Amino acid sequence: MEEALNGGQLASDGKYSAQAQVLLEAALDAPRVLLTTSCSDALEMCALLLDLQPGDEVIVPSFAFVTVAGAFALRGARIVFADIRPDTLNINEEKLAELITPRTRALVVVHYAGVACEMEAIQALAAHHRIAVIEDLAHGPFATYRGRPLGSFGALACLSFHETKNFSCGEGGALIVNDPTLRRRAGIVHQKGTDRNRFLAGEVDKYTWRDLGGSFAPADLLAAFLVGQLEARQTIQARRARIWQRYDQGLRDWATAEGVSRPTVPTHCEPAWHAYYLVMPNRAARDGLIAFLKAQGILAVFHYAPLHLSAMGRRHGGQPGACPVTERIASCLVRLPFFTVLSASDQDEVIRAVTAYAIAP
Ligand SMILES: Cc1ncc(COP(=O)(O)O)c(C=O)c1O
């Protein structure tokens, strides 16, 4: 960051943005990566690139972050909410066909907690109906599905570098452009709707307004911070893997005895070790555990408020009972403290506190 400060370019598209993009392209086997100011902005870029028109439909999991739906609603699309699988908490690929209509343009998949969605089935269905797949990789950088990196399956994929994610620059993100037919426009949308990239390459003597776009590129100062994180990715992921496995071992017996579910990781998925969560038998047990931990100074949180039941979700046709697995999981899930520098002794304290919690019969 000091180098970036002294280098004279604080704005976007400097040396460190280029470094971060090249590093991500190599590590994720991605043909083109564009840094963005957030994952939400990368999702908004997807909506622009798909040229969504009012009335077009986009399928999203209801068990997801707000902007997974909001970015597409912003372009006038109707959001169609999909339910999740009860094991990985990822979009249920077996329930997707019934949501597809002639207006369906895109399908957004979230690799929850860094474990892959069932990409084989999802891609086959999307190809059959000519629907674009967009991967939300906010939780899943460097995870794999059947040995292939996540982010390499969809036409587009979105990363987050928000401070809550495995790799951070405070606020940040990236768009992976796999579909070669979208690559040129992605550069224009990224550059405020202009052909500034051609100007920077010396191909034109001034840049002009060509398309819809936004100010999506982050300051190079932030990219410098991010490069440091990405260069340490093996250390960061290895630490997170150890924390995840320690929780899983430490909580196994207690969870079995209390009827609590631990995360499912299919053998063909190498996770990104983004989060560790428990699914409690009911809402009262979940809320009780959060309060029990809070009383001991331990912050544990739930995830996500179902999108189809939100005020906006209801305007898109969401109604109670439409996504029953999402509704149950949202009321029973608790995430335990999980961050790269979580010490073994702090983690032991969390494990001790959780295993001292007895669920009321
Ligand atoms: C699955 C998912 N997608 C997207 C986002 C948005 O990321 P950002 O804060 O970088 O916009 C989040 C944020 O937590 C998320 O959990």
Side-chain angles (χ1 to χ4, degrees), residues 292-304:
F292 183 75
L293 295 176
K294 189 173 176 202
Q296 297 168 72
I298 296 168
L299 179 69
V301 286
F302 57 84
H303 225 187
Y304 289 106

Side-chain angles (χ1 to χ4, degrees), residues 37-43 63-68 110-112 136-139 158-165 170-173 274 303-304:
T37 34
S38 67
C39 182
S40 301
D41 276 351
L43 288 162
F63 189 66
F65 190 70
V66 175
T67 50
V68 174
V110 175
H111 304 294
Y112 185 69
D136 180 319
L137 211 53
H139 300 180
C158 302
L159 287 153
S160 174
F161 302 121
H162 184 266
E163 71 168 350
T164 51
K165 303 302 185 293
E171 297 271 2
H274 174 63
H303 225 187
Y304 289 106

Side-chain angles (χ1 to χ4, degrees), residues 134-305:
I134 295 168
E135 292 181 74
D136 180 319
L137 211 53
H139 300 180
F142 309 119
T144 63
Y145 172 78
R146 300 196 187 284
R148 195 171 138 188
L150 295 192
S152 67
F153 293 89
L156 298 159
C158 302
L159 287 153
S160 174
F161 302 121
H162 184 266
E163 71 168 350
T164 51
K165 303 302 185 293
N166 292 25
F167 306 94
S168 152
C169 59
E171 297 271 2
L175 177 71
I176 299 174
V177 188
N178 290 318
D179 182 342
T181 65
L182 297 176
R183 213 158 310 152
R184 199 185 65 83
R185 259 193 86 219
I188 291 175
V189 169
H190 191 238
Q191 293 287 358
K192 307 172 174 87
T194 74
D195 55 351
R196 183 164 172 264
N197 287 340
R198 292 191 68 204
F199 170 72
L200 294 176
E203 292 168 17
V204 286
D205 60 0
K206 60 179 177 302
Y207 60 89
T208 58
W209 188 21
R210 316 293 292 195
D211 204 331
L212 293 178
S215 186
F216 290 117
D220 213 46
L221 196 54
L222 288 180
F225 193 97
L226 182 64
V227 166
Q229 295 256 306
L230 293 174
E231 282 175 341
R233 68 188 175 283
Q234 265 124 9
T235 314
I236 290 174
Q237 294 296 73
R239 282 191 80 134
R240 297 183 77 97
R242 274 202 300 280
I243 293 169
W244 195 100
Q245 282 151 356
R246 214 147 173 276
Y247 268 139
D248 209 47
Q249 278 150 24
L251 296 171
R252 181 175 300 156
D253 294 346
W254 168 84
T256 308
E258 298 287 337
V260 171
S261 307
R262 294 177 290 118
T264 300
V265 182
T267 49
H268 55 281
C269 301
E270 170 71 17
W273 317 109
H274 174 63
Y276 193 88
Y277 62 83
L278 298 167
V279 180
M280 305 296 283
N282 53 56
R283 181 189 287 271
R286 192 274 304 273
D287 294 348
L289 176 59
I290 290 176
F292 183 75
L293 295 176
K294 189 173 176 202
Q296 297 168 72
I298 296 168
L299 179 69
V301 286
F302 57 84
H303 225 187
Y304 289 106

